[in-house]
Every structure is written in structure tokens, then in C-alpha cells.
Amino acid sequence: MKVAVIFNKRKKNEGEGVINVFGSQNQETYNPATVERVAAALEQGGHNVRIIDGNIHVIEQLQEFMPRVVQGDQPGMVFNMAYGIQGVSRYTHIPSLLEMLGIPYVGSSPAGHGIALDKVTTKVMIQAAGLPTAPYWVFHNADQIQGDLPFPVITKPKMEAVSLGIQVIHDMNSLRTAISGLIDQFKQPVLVEQFIPGREFAVGVLGNQNPDIFPIVEIDLEGDPFGIQSLEDKLRKPKNKICPAQIDDKLANELRRLTLETFKVLGIFDFCRVDFRMDQDGNLYILELNSMASLGLTGTYVCAAKTAGYTYESLINRMLDVAVERYFGKEFEDVTSDHEHPVETPKKDPLRIRLRSYLRSNIDTMEDYLSKMVDINSFIENVEGVNTLGRWVSSQLSGSGFDRQVFSMSEFGNILYFTNHAGETNDVLIVGNLDNPVDYEDYIPFSEERGRIYGTGVARGKGGVAVLLGALKALRYTRALKRVKIGLLFITDDSKGGVASRKIMHELSSKSNYVLGLSGSGLGGDIVTASLGSTCFNVEINRKLGRTSSQYFSDEHDPILYCAQKITQLKKLNSVEQGVYVTLTGLETRSNADLPAYHAALSFVLHFQNPEQSKKLDGQVMRIFAPKMQDAIRVHITKGAQRKPFLQNDKTVQFYDQIAKIAKVVEVRVVQEETGIASLLANVSPGVAAVDGMGPRTGGYGSRDKYVVRDSMIDRSVLLAYLIYKIGRNFA
């Protein structure tokens, strides 16, 4: 199952992650190490996990990651760890958003969180249900205090948690000062409760219809009946926890009863923790319910769960399971859960889980790879830049057991071939390109915005290389790399249709069982099994100079009109049935202030399905632009880069079927595509099983703002790594 862990990153600047700074700011955040621990536990449970910052961009990130149930996909879940960024009832913000989006999640509803976070509403509902709680007062300012209060009392901001602002007060002057200070700091009313000297207990709940009540925890106040657990205690020196608490069965049963009643009265889902004080006469008082009980290792909830027999991993996965059961029923939970509740030792993690865990935790490294590659200007005519990129790629592979062979090129950068074996044949040949067609003037530097990575070369070449490096390092980490005979080919003339690498690719692919191309996959997760070929044409049209000035104004001497007529004829070549398309790529004219244009340059690309069509279309183009004796203009036509079509065969179709099965296992969306965009695998030997599009998901293709989806580098690396592994085992 796909599980998004949502939390709130600690903000470096005020207002980060929101549109405007408004309302009280959250001072409660999860330690990133705890978030990572939760994500790792879910991955050990076999889930596809993504960590997402619960900020202004959370909807976009969820759209990228979550499955589309309306299209028949298995539902995904959110494991909510977000406390909110700012404003009132911040615990409710992410659950409310998820309700609107139709995404199920772990934890209470917005109503449950809103009630539990509001300490005054909690007291009112508990008291109305006849449950015991200490006497209390609510103050909006210090001037409201009237009469004598039964000191000592304890102060709490109305809508804060984790002991923020709590103080034990013993006299009226101190109380007035405390209330004024808390209202000024938190901008909200203050709850004042009669303080209960005695012992303190915490009871955890997990489940819904018949929830588990965890072993009772007593907070060790070291014999001080006036002791409390302050925020500083929780952060710096947590008080010891006695679990199970050393109490008799009668008291334990009463604590469990009150916990369950509070859970039901406040309408909480899935899990929580209820806190109690007990006075010296044995009377119990409900302090509060925490609807987002801390999952930190030093917290009482985790402590109690471990006493109950859970490991940290089984606890987190059980929390997910109870939410799945609440939404979809027990049958669905049984199907999706592959671990036993609660204490059975989980089986050894399968490779796919370890691959995903490694790659998710190394997404920043892959992004750094991409940034470094974009910084290297590998425009095809910049041979030194292309070779510099080749040397950088070589340095990344040098420690992974790959030997390098260099094919020196004078006109282009050097073609590089790597293998991790000494044999003649490869289990799999993986092909990427180091060059790009973007010249110096149009170069775009690396940038990352809202989960999209921009920069020259990210969409077709460099993004795929970053995915490959991530996959290979993950396989090496899991000790699965040496089990597969891998060949890596990096060509340097893809922008010119592979004119120099054609023979090399043909020969190496003929000695490989499977071939994979690293081009970007498109936003749909396309796996390319066939693509059109293409031929670029450039046509120059110049007006002939004559003796009379009247010719300057006649239609037959007008290069622009000539181009318009020829464009109309070219467009007639388009045929959906035959897979023939004409794409106009440029039109340039020259003239002066007083006379019509004397020069025009037209460029276009012909796309075709097979080589026979290419020959026929070449002839048709030449006839369209064939000079005539009476023409008043000169025409010069040249052919530019030519790409062969990438042809589908039976082995390719069977190969895609295997990839689709693997993609389902690793929960990566793929779709078979026969594209009009030329493939770098056009020169693969006929009859070899080959697919392209193993790079990251890309958008904006055909525009200047091409990009890759950042998080897709994880999915595509997992897919590539697991596919390589399965190829080595002949898909067993």
C-alpha cells in the first residue's frame, strides 16, 4: 500500500510553508528522526512510503504520489503526524484537507482532534458524561479572577499540548502574573484547574470497536506529590516511566474503564493517550486526552506498547492496520497486511522493501547528482563539457565494480561503456545519453520548486542517469549488484540521431538479453515500446535579383508566400493511419525597410513509423521543393539529423508484461506507450527485447520549461533496481 507520512518540518523562516502569517504559531513539531523511524517501520511492513511536508504544497505532493482509486487502483493512506503550522485547532488542518480530497488517514477526525486539543471543551464533555475531572476556571484576562481559588492550581493555555505553558501556582499574585503572561504569549484563554497532588498515570489506546488498552504507565515523580512533567522534562530529561504501573487490579480496571469512556465520549479514532492524576485518597481525575500521542521512543505511548509486546515496527504497522480496518473493513486489512499482531517477529525484509527504504532515505543524494550534472554544460557541440560529464559519471561508477571502455570520438564526446563482469554477453544493457541539444544561450540552471526539478538536460538525459546511479547504489547496498551481468552504455550523439554510436549500440545490444533506455517517462509513467523515426529538413529560399523593380512586389518573388504554399503541401503529408506527422520547427525571414523579404529559412521534422516510409517521404519532400524553370527564387534544401524508428517486436511486448508485473509489486504506475518522440534506442539490434522511458517522470516536454518530478526519482529507481535484479534471476 502507498502510505504518505505527513509531518511539519521545522521552519527556518516565519511564514515558510503558508501564504500569510496569521494566528498563533505552532511550537510543536516532530523530531525528523522519529518521522524517519515511522517511515522505515512502515517500509518494513511492506508499504511504499513517502514523507511529505504538511505545508501549502501538500495537495500537489499527494496528487503526485497517491493512487487513483477511481481508476481501479488500490487505495493509499496517510499516516498523519502533522501538528499544523499556525492558527486555531491546528491538529484539524491536515485531517480536514484529507477529508476534502478523499484520502483515508490514520488518526482522529477533524472533530475529534478539535475537541481533544481544546482543553476547555474536553473538560465540559467529560464532566457532562459524569466522568471525574478536577474543578476548573477559564480566564480571558487576569482581571476576571474573583474571590479565593483553592490553591494550588495549575495553568494551561486553552489549545496547546505537550505541557506548553503549564505552571503550578500557589498564590493569587503569581496566578495573575501567569495568566497575563500566557495570554500575551499564546493569544488564547487560559484554563486554570485545581491542582491534584498525588500520582500521575497515562493509558494508551489502540483500535476502534474493541480497542486494545495498553499496560498502564505511571510517571515517576520520585515521591513528590506536587511534581509534574514539564515541557523541559519531556525535551531534555524525560521522567522515568514505570510500566506496568505497580497498582492493584481494582485501580487498574478503573483506569482502563475511564480511559475507554473518555475515548468514546470525545469521538476519537485509532489511537490516543489519556492522562490521569490520583489524589492521596485514591480518587482519579481525568486531565486530558492526547489525540496525537507522541511516537518518540521516550514517550509513554511507545513505552506502554513495548510492554504490551509490540516492537516499534509492529506498533506503527498495527496503527496503520486499525485505520485501514476502520475505512475498508477487516477483510481488506487481512489482505494488505503481511505481518501478525502484535508480537511475532517479522520475516526478513524482502529486497524490494530494502531497496525502497534505501532510495527514499537517499533522495537528497540523487537530487545532488542531478544538480551536479546540470551544472556541467554538455551541449553536443561542447565536446569538453560532454567529456567532463562522462568523467563525472565514471567517478560515480568507479567504486561499484564497473570497468570502463572508452570509444574516442573527434566530432562528439567520447562514448563510454561499462561492465561489471568479464563475459561477452550482458543480462541487461542500460543506455543513457550525455549530450543535449540546448546551446549556451538557452541553458537553464538547476532549480527545484514545488516538487519539480528544472534544468537543462533533466528530462531526457541527466534525470535518467540520476535514476540509474540511485538504482545501482541501492543494489550494491543490498548486495544484489554482482548477481546480474550489467552493461552500461552512455552515448554522446543522441542530439544528432546516434550517427556515431549507431554501430556500437547495434553490436552491444545484439549481445544483451534485454535493453533499457533511460529517457524520461512522461507524467503518466510511460514505458516506451515503440517510437517514430524522424528526419530534420532545413530549406533556404532566396529571391532572385532581376533588372526591373516591379518584381520586388510580385507574388512570384515573395519567399514568405513561397513558404506558406509549401507548408500547406507539407501538412498534406500528415496521416494518422500511417503514423506520418510533419512538425514545423522554425521560420525566419529577412527584409529591409522599403522592400519585401528577400530571404526565408524554413525548418521542419518528418516523423514516420518505418524505414520504407522514410524513403518515400524523402522523395515527396524533394518533389515539393523541386525547382522549376520559371521560378523567381532559388531553393536549397538539406537534411539534418535523422533518427531511425524504434520498432516493437514480440520480445519487447513480453518484456513490457514482465515490467508491468514488477511495477505492480513495487507500486509504481506504468503504462505502455508507443510515442511520437524519437527514442535513443532506435539503433538497438532488431529482435532484441528493449524498452525506453526508465528515467524519472517528466513534464513540459517540447517547451523551455521541461522538468522532472522530484519524488518520481525514488519510484523509477526502485523499479529499475528491482527489474535489474529480476532480470538476473530470469524473472524467477
Side-chain angles (χ1 to χ4, degrees):
M1 173 179 283
K2 286 191 172 184
V3 182
V5 177
I6 299 182
F7 83 118
N8 300 115
K9 291 183 180 178
R10 293 171 181 169
K11 308 305 177 187
K12 297 179 181 178
N13 304 305
E14 187 177 26
E16 183 180 349
V18 298
I19 296 175
N20 299 308
V21 178
F22 189 80
S24 59
Q25 301 297 299
N26 179 26
Q27 301 181 52
E28 184 181 5
T29 58
Y30 257 112
N31 186 326
T34 301
V35 178
E36 176 60 33
R37 192 173 292 115
V38 168
L42 291 167
E43 283 170 336
Q44 289 187 36
H47 300 289
N48 177 348
V49 182
R50 189 68 43 84
I51 295 176
I52 295 176
D53 185 6
N55 61 16
I56 190 175
H57 304 305
V58 68
I59 292 180
E60 293 175 66
Q61 296 179 73
L62 287 170
Q63 277 184 306
E64 293 288 354
F65 177 65
M66 278 293 162
R68 308 293 191 271
V69 179
V70 293
Q71 297 176 4
D73 291 349
Q74 176 180 292
M77 292 282 291
V78 164
F79 196 103
N80 181 34
M81 300 178 70
Y83 291 118
I85 297 176
Q86 64 180 16
V88 179
S89 294
R90 61 182 186 273
Y91 282 14
T92 70
H93 295 170
I94 290 298
S96 297
L97 194 62
L98 296 172
E99 291 282 347
M100 181 186 75
L101 297 176
I103 299 175
Y105 55 93
V106 175
S108 288
S109 67
H113 281 309
I115 292 169
L117 186 61
D118 187 330
K119 290 178 169 55
V120 175
T121 302
T122 296
K123 298 278 284 188
V124 170
M125 293 186 69
I126 288 174
Q127 200 171 52
L131 302 176
T133 188
Y136 66 96
W137 303 264
V138 182
F139 298 107
H140 295 267
N141 58 65
D143 296 335
Q144 289 183 304
I145 304 175
Q146 296 180 359
D148 294 330
L149 297 182
F151 291 100
V153 295
I154 186 167
T155 61
K156 303 175 182 179
K158 179 175 180 282
M159 299 191 73
E160 297 296 333
V162 293
S163 301
L164 282 166
I166 67 168
Q167 303 174 53
V168 178
I169 306 295
H170 296 272
D171 60 78
M172 184 64 71
N173 288 335
S174 298
L175 179 61
R176 294 182 186 277
T177 301
I179 289 175
S180 297
L182 290 174
I183 290 174
D184 183 61
Q185 179 181 356
F186 293 101
K187 306 296 188 294
Q188 57 186 273
V190 176
L191 171 69
V192 176
E193 288 181 292
Q194 181 179 343
F195 181 72
I196 308 298
R199 300 165 71 181
E200 186 166 327
F201 302 96
V203 187
V205 179
L206 178 59
N208 290 292
Q209 293 298 324
N210 295 296
D212 292 338
I213 306 298
F214 286 169
I216 296 162
V217 177
E218 180 173 3
I219 309 302
D220 186 2
L221 301 178
E222 300 174 345
D224 180 7
F226 289 91
I228 62 172
Q229 187 170 214
S230 67
L231 177 60
E232 184 176 356
D233 291 333
K234 292 180 179 180
L235 295 178
R236 297 185 180 180
K237 190 179 179 181
K239 291 187 179 298
N240 292 330
K241 298 165 183 65
I242 304 168
C243 187
Q246 303 303 303
I247 55 178
D248 59 36
D249 290 343
K250 181 180 179 181
L251 177 56
N253 289 334
E254 181 65 4
L255 281 167
R256 284 191 282 266
R257 183 187 73 82
L258 292 175
T259 295
L260 189 57
E261 287 296 317
T262 305
F263 177 79
K264 292 178 179 178
V265 164
L266 300 188
I268 303 303
F269 293 149
D270 299 342
F271 75 104
C272 73
R273 187 196 73 237
V274 182
D275 297 337
F276 298 85
R277 294 284 290 202
M278 185 178 73
D279 65 19
Q280 294 177 343
D281 296 326
N283 298 310
L284 291 170
Y285 299 88
I286 299 167
L287 297 180
E288 64 179 8
L289 180 147
N290 190 323
S291 60
M292 290 190 67
S294 172
L295 299 176
L297 293 179
T298 60
T300 54
Y301 192 80
V302 173
C303 174
K306 288 184 176 179
T307 302
Y310 287 89
T311 64
Y312 192 84
E313 290 72 24
S314 65
L315 169 65
I316 299 302
N317 281 281
R318 181 59 187 158
M319 292 171 68
L320 178 69
D321 289 346
V322 298
V324 169
E325 182 180 342
R326 172 167 57 87
Y327 279 102
F328 307 113
K330 178 66 176 174
E331 294 78 10
F332 185 93
E333 186 258 320
D334 287 340
V335 170
T336 57
S337 176
D338 59 1
H339 53 272
E340 297 295 329
H341 161 65
V343 297
E344 182 176 303
T345 303
K347 297 178 181 179
K348 185 178 181 180
D349 295 333
L351 175 65
R352 62 185 175 85
I353 297 172
R354 288 181 285 144
L355 289 172
R356 183 172 289 281
S357 181
Y358 174 86
L359 287 162
R360 183 189 53 74
S361 62
N362 282 273
I363 179 62
D364 290 340
T365 302
M366 283 193 284
E367 186 173 353
D368 287 342
Y369 289 161
L370 199 46
S371 175
K372 289 181 173 66
M373 287 188 282
V374 171
D375 286 344
I376 300 172
N377 192 328
S378 57
F379 175 44
I380 188 168
E381 294 181 12
N382 179 19
V383 174
E384 179 53 35
V386 175
N387 285 336
T388 298
L389 179 57
R391 287 191 291 270
W392 183 86
V393 171
S394 299
S395 69
Q396 298 303 311
L397 294 170
S398 62
S400 300
F402 283 89
D403 295 323
R404 184 181 70 168
Q405 180 179 355
V406 178
F407 297 91
S408 298
M409 298 286 156
S410 57
E411 186 177 353
F412 306 107
N414 295 331
I415 296 171
L416 305 179
Y417 177 57
F418 299 83
T419 58
N420 67 339
H421 62 93
E424 288 293 322
T425 60
N426 299 309
D427 292 329
V428 60
L429 175 67
I430 304 172
V431 182
N433 64 290
L434 302 177
D435 63 299
N436 70 78
V438 180
D439 62 18
Y440 305 96
E441 294 181 357
D442 293 326
Y443 172 80
I444 299 174
F446 178 91
S447 65
E448 195 269 331
E449 180 182 359
R450 297 167 67 171
R452 297 176 176 179
I453 296 177
Y454 298 86
T456 295
V458 297
R460 279 192 65 84
K462 296 173 181 178
V465 175
V467 164
L468 172 66
L469 293 175
L472 293 178
K473 290 181 184 294
L475 286 169
R476 184 167 181 253
Y477 170 78
T478 55
R479 299 183 179 180
L481 186 59
K482 293 183 178 180
R483 301 176 186 180
V484 192
K485 295 189 292 183
I486 303 170
L488 307 175
L489 176 63
F490 296 98
I491 64 174
T492 55
D493 60 344
D494 182 57
S495 305
K496 298 294 185 181
V499 61
S501 60
R502 185 172 301 161
K503 183 177 179 181
I504 297 171
M505 188 183 297
H506 185 280
E507 180 181 353
L508 294 176
S509 61
S510 68
K511 299 177 181 179
S512 304
N513 295 332
Y514 301 95
V515 178
L516 298 170
L518 297 175
S519 298
S521 67
L523 291 177
D526 308 339
I527 298 294
V528 178
T529 58
S531 70
L532 300 180
S534 64
T535 304
C536 298
F537 289 90
N538 297 292
V539 186
E540 289 192 13
I541 305 101
N542 294 293
R543 189 184 63 217
K544 289 182 180 178
L545 297 177
R547 295 181 179 179
T548 60
S549 60
S550 62
Q551 67 177 317
Y552 296 140
F553 303 98
S554 67
D555 289 346
E556 66 175 337
H557 294 85
D558 189 343
I560 298 178
L561 181 58
Y562 178 89
C563 285
Q565 294 169 343
K566 300 306 179 184
I567 289 172
T568 301
Q569 295 178 50
L570 287 172
K571 283 297 184 179
K572 292 180 179 179
L573 298 177
N574 286 340
S575 172
V576 176
E577 295 79 12
Q578 297 181 21
V580 175
Y581 304 94
V582 179
T583 303
L584 301 176
T585 55
L587 176 61
E588 177 189 348
T589 63
R590 296 177 192 168
S591 63
N592 55 42
D594 301 318
L595 299 175
Y598 59 85
H599 170 83
L602 174 66
S603 58
F604 59 93
V605 180
L606 271 178
H607 304 273
F608 48 88
Q609 283 186 330
N610 56 66
E612 290 73 21
Q613 285 178 326
S614 174
K615 295 176 183 178
K616 181 180 178 180
L617 290 168
D618 285 355
Q620 290 176 306
V621 168
M622 293 305 174
R623 285 193 292 274
I624 289 173
F625 290 96
K628 299 178 181 178
M629 294 298 295
Q630 68 272 25
D631 277 353
I633 56 177
R634 291 190 177 92
V635 179
H636 180 66
I637 182 168
T638 57
K639 289 171 62 173
Q642 185 172 16
R643 296 174 181 267
K644 295 167 59 180
F646 172 40
L647 301 178
Q648 181 174 286
N649 57 59
D650 292 341
K651 288 184 178 179
T652 292
V653 174
Q654 294 170 7
F655 188 27
Y656 172 77
D657 290 341
Q658 293 286 2
I659 294 173
K661 292 176 183 177
I662 289 171
K664 189 173 183 180
V665 170
V666 298
E667 294 188 281
V668 175
R669 187 182 299 116
V670 299
V671 60
Q672 184 177 356
E673 178 70 15
E674 298 178 23
T675 180
I677 301 172
S679 169
L680 82 167
L681 298 188
N683 295 313
V684 166
S685 178
V688 175
V691 299
D692 201 358
M694 297 302 299
R697 290 166 53 206
T698 61
Y701 194 80
S703 72
R704 194 170 181 271
D705 297 324
K706 294 185 286 290
Y707 64 87
V708 301
V709 178
R710 179 182 185 270
D711 285 346
S712 74
M713 292 197 293
I714 300 173
D715 283 344
R716 305 304 283 196
S717 293
V718 170
L719 176 61
L720 180 58
Y722 201 60
L723 176 58
I724 291 171
Y725 169 76
K726 282 294 190 179
I727 287 173
R729 296 172 60 89
N730 200 24
F731 295 104

